Amino acid sequence: MRYLLLSCFVLGIISCGDDNTERLSNTSFSIKVDTLSIETGEHLLNVGQGIPKARLSQDERLLFFYDYTNHSIETIDMEEKKWIQTLYLEKEGPKGVMDRSRFDYIPLTDSTFRFFTQRNFIELNQENDLLFESPRFDKMVRIAPEKQFEAWAKLSLGERYLFGLTSSFKQYQMLDWVDFKDSIYREVRLDSMDYRKNFEIKNNRVIISSPINTAFIQEKFMVFHPDGIDVYIIDPKTSTSQFKDNSPLLFPRRKSGNFPKTGDLGEFDAIFENKALEISYRDLVFDQENQLFYRFAGMKAPETGRPLQYFLVFDKEMNLIHEMDVSEMRIGFGESFVRKGKLYVRNRETDDLEFFVISVEKED
């Protein structure tokens, strides 16, 4: 292992929610970065497309993730630092799971998984035995055709909620969910994120916008995206929502939109290059042990095009309490998750499975 020890002192004005109040944050952190490499033996891990749908076992010893190429679930022992086994999924039949991430799953035990297949729910073990099969989803829940969200839906831990996002050219962006305690469909409009439409790139054939993502954290739905630091927090038990925004000091809180919005398909590459100069936020993750949220952001220096990277820390109410320039680390940040109080970030600059393991410690 190699490590880098970084310290940073941040004095900042932090936005604290809808009342527009501000508080002074006087916070010092030290950050230690280790590396962890996974031994795979003769097994080939396909991580060129990342490690989508990464999940941890209940004791956080095992890491599971989806392999696009082989349509499979890989299992990694994070304590032993090695690959364990692969569950090869079928695409059709009673055990069929749609490919290209058009499904979701949660680990029930170290060797059994519950899948949402769009068609229904099934349970498989590592030997690909079918242990459970539910009725069809459209027989379990009634949802109007224009509100159907199951194509990219997610299953919450505990299996109580199925949730996802819907939008169309004629509809607003919505967060939708079903509570299986009553099998009722509910929705919340994400109207404070409508500004993202200003960053769409379009012509008379296509409209391309940045992805928007959801997660189930602390019994709440959280919605976030690359275009800004803002987050929606939605309580599924009360159907209430809170829009949280913050104002970092080192970089913009949102894209400015100073790039072309229209063009022919052949011009899109140049447009995307201009868009990449502006701030972009990565997914939000939660550290249960330390009760902190972490997030990365990046942009390019306007004068030189040099990549700039930042690390953000939020408290459990999603107030920004720390921001740090980590550009000098010069490492490729891929997907991230938190395990046993440390942030694991896939190194996307190698074909092997390697993680940067980041310890965030508050200093006195």
Side-chain angles (χ1 to χ4, degrees), residues 75-290:
T75 302
I76 307 297
D77 189 322
M78 298 296 287
E79 296 289 342
E80 297 293 330
K81 306 171 190 175
K82 65 180 182 179
W83 165 83
I84 297 296
Q85 58 188 345
T86 302
L87 168 60
Y88 293 98
L89 302 172
E90 299 179 14
K91 297 181 182 180
E92 299 177 349
K95 296 186 288 185
V97 175
M98 298 189 73
D99 62 357
R100 306 304 298 176
S101 285
R102 293 175 295 175
F103 70 92
D104 198 38
Y105 77 99
I106 56 173
L108 301 177
T109 69
D110 289 356
S111 59
T112 59
F113 307 91
R114 178 64 52 87
F115 289 85
F116 176 64
T117 69
Q118 296 190 36
R119 178 187 68 254
N120 65 349
F121 298 89
I122 61 173
E123 183 179 333
L124 301 174
N125 62 17
Q126 287 281 15
E127 289 70 43
N128 204 25
D129 298 320
L130 181 62
L131 306 180
F132 169 79
E133 181 181 11
S134 79
R136 290 184 58 90
F137 179 70
D138 57 12
K139 302 297 183 184
M140 300 169 62
V141 180
R142 292 185 178 182
I143 302 176
E146 68 275 10
K147 297 181 179 295
Q148 291 178 357
F149 66 96
E150 55 266 34
W152 306 101
K154 296 182 177 180
L155 188 59
S156 70
L157 289 176
E159 305 174 72
R160 176 168 176 175
Y161 303 108
L162 187 74
F163 61 100
L165 295 158
T166 57
S167 66
S168 71
F169 298 126
K170 298 181 180 180
Q171 293 180 332
Y172 297 110
Q173 185 85 63
M174 312 287 288
L175 186 282
D176 317 86
W177 73 94
V178 172
D179 185 339
F180 287 107
K181 283 198 170 182
D182 55 23
S183 296
I184 294 177
Y185 166 90
R186 295 174 174 86
E187 64 183 24
V188 167
R189 185 188 165 196
L190 309 175
D191 55 325
S192 294
M193 290 180 174
D194 285 350
Y195 74 88
R196 297 179 63 246
K197 291 184 177 293
N198 297 326
F199 309 136
E200 291 178 342
I201 299 172
K202 65 185 74 174
N203 60 22
N204 57 1
R205 298 176 59 187
V206 297
I207 297 178
I208 301 175
S209 60
S210 299
I212 185 168
N213 203 359
T214 59
F216 186 67
I217 302 173
Q218 300 188 99
E219 300 299 316
K220 305 286 177 60
F221 302 130
M222 305 196 73
V223 183
F224 41 89
H225 56 85
D227 296 331
I229 199 172
D230 49 272
V231 174
Y232 259 106
I233 306 170
I234 298 155
D235 187 339
K237 295 179 181 178
T238 61
S239 297
T240 56
S241 65
Q242 180 186 18
F243 181 72
K244 289 289 295 187
D245 207 351
N246 284 280
S247 298
L249 300 179
L250 300 180
F251 47 91
R253 69 187 180 101
R254 295 179 180 176
K255 284 181 168 57
S256 63
N258 293 327
F259 52 86
K261 310 300 191 306
T262 60
D264 297 330
L265 288 178
E267 299 172 315
F268 273 21
D269 286 346
I271 293 175
F272 289 135
E273 287 182 7
N274 285 326
K275 185 177 181 181
L277 296 173
E278 301 197 359
I279 193 70
S280 181
Y281 289 85
R282 301 190 67 83
D283 285 353
L284 186 72
V285 295
F286 184 61
D287 182 345
Q288 181 69 40
E289 183 173 312
N290 295 302

Side-chain angles (χ1 to χ4, degrees), residues 45-55 63-68 74 76 78 101 105 334-337 344-347 352-355:
L45 279 180
N46 296 290
V47 296
Q49 299 183 68
I51 53 170
K53 300 186 181 296
R55 309 282 188 268
L63 169 69
F64 311 100
F65 66 90
Y66 177 60
D67 176 357
Y68 282 106
E74 299 284 5
I76 307 297
M78 298 296 287
S101 285
Y105 77 99
E335 303 85 358
S336 61
F337 59 89
Y344 286 70
V345 186
R346 183 182 67 87
N347 181 2
D352 298 323
L353 184 55
E354 181 178 270
F355 296 99

